[in-house]
Amino acid sequence: MMGPAHSLSGAAAWLGVGAAAAAAGHPMPWPVLVVGALICAGAALAPDLDHKSATISRAFGPLSRALCGVIDSLSHAVYQATRKTGDPRRAGGHRTLTHTWVWAVLIGAGASVLAVNGGRWAVLGLLFVHMVLAVEGLLWRMARVSSDVLVWLLGATSAWILAEILNKPGNGSDWLFTGDGQEYLWLGLPIVLGALVHDIGDALTVSGCPILWPIPIGRKRWYPIGPPRIMRFRAGSWVELKVLMPAFMLLGGAGGLGALGLL
């Protein structure tokens, strides 16, 4: 799928988690719901770090473009080192390592460790990166015609304000993990969810997605998981733009209302 659809699906997924938590009698504080949805929307772009033409490659200028090149090379090397006889030869690393459950768990766990041990500036850094990505994905029309600096300023301002709100007692810095020193440990959860939702979205397209790597399936270790061919679509097609994106908006709205106890 394309960047905007990925971001919408990520936000909708976290709002759905919020609705499920409320239904189970453990509602999220509203700042956790909002921040989690934005982080998940941004994180849903991150697996495309292996693609030099993806939305994320433009998000941070030369830095993100260079990082995409590095991740593409790393992903290709891992693919070549772990492929089985049934896996085709590839010239690049797109839709390999960063499109697996292993990557999703690793980046989520890394974010949680960084948030807990890195202090306020680490939290602000994580929020800034994902706020910028959320703007690029959710407000993509405006982001495309705006200066990168304006997008970065919006991301930095949002990160600062949201961190201040979360830090207030009862607003969710210690949501889910309440032990001493575990503030913001939950930040890794929307990052994992965003990456997995991205992978599921890509699995619906004609190419499929090797979500289950390194678990071998038949003669392949990079088996492209997906529904039957007749149910798949091409990225950017009318199915994505006219069916899935409106569906994500409706599901996200319903999830948000449910999470706030209004549905």
Side-chain angles (χ1 to χ4, degrees):
M1 291 197 298
M2 306 298 285
H6 279 309
S7 283
L8 278 174
S9 66
W14 185 260
L15 293 171
V17 170
H26 301 286
M28 294 179 182
W30 72 263
V32 172
L33 185 69
V34 172
V35 173
L38 291 172
I39 290 176
C40 204
L45 297 180
D48 277 343
L49 269 172
D50 60 4
H51 190 358
K52 296 177 183 178
S53 298
T55 301
I56 191 172
S57 73
R58 301 185 295 271
F60 300 97
L63 180 61
S64 53
R65 285 193 290 273
L67 181 59
C68 283
V70 171
I71 297 298
D72 179 33
S73 298
L74 172 64
S75 298
H76 184 243
V78 172
Y79 179 87
Q80 290 295 98
T82 62
R83 62 185 288 267
K84 294 186 68 177
T85 55
D87 292 309
R89 294 190 177 277
R90 298 177 59 105
H94 182 46
R95 285 202 187 183
T96 55
L97 178 62
T98 62
H99 287 68
T100 66
W101 70 270
V102 174
W103 178 270
V105 171
L106 286 177
I107 62 170
S112 289
V113 171
L114 183 62
V116 170
N117 295 295
R120 176 178 175 78
W121 289 107
V123 171
L124 285 171
L126 288 169
L127 290 175
F128 167 69
V129 167
H130 289 90
M131 293 308 108
V132 170
L133 293 177
V135 170
E136 292 281 356
L138 298 176
L139 303 177
W140 65 279
R141 291 185 186 276
M142 288 182 280
R144 290 284 176 87
V145 298
S146 298
S147 162
D148 286 342
V149 175
L150 289 178
V151 175
W152 299 338
L153 286 174
L154 178 58
T157 303
S158 301
W160 189 276
I161 292 172
L162 292 172
E164 289 296 320
I165 293 172
L166 284 170
N167 270 331
K168 293 180 180 178
N171 275 5
S173 62
D174 60 349
W175 176 71
L176 196 60
F177 301 97
T178 58
D180 291 338
Q182 294 183 348
E183 292 82 7
Y184 294 109
L185 184 60
W186 62 271
L187 284 182
L189 297 179
I191 293 174
V192 173
L193 180 61
L196 292 177
V197 168
H198 177 111
D199 296 345
I200 293 169
D202 278 354
L204 299 176
T205 65
V206 293
S207 299
C209 188
I211 304 172
L212 296 181
W213 178 87
I215 301 170
I217 299 177
R219 297 172 55 247
K220 295 183 177 181
R221 196 180 301 279
W222 297 90
Y223 188 88
I225 299 295
R229 290 281 178 182
I230 195 171
M231 298 175 63
R232 302 188 189 189
F233 60 89
R234 292 191 178 278
S237 69
W238 68 269
V239 175
E240 179 178 338
L241 299 175
K242 303 297 184 181
V243 178
L244 291 181
M245 289 181 67
F248 294 149
M249 292 180 193
L250 290 173
L251 291 172
L257 292 174
L260 296 172
L262 301 176
L263 188 65

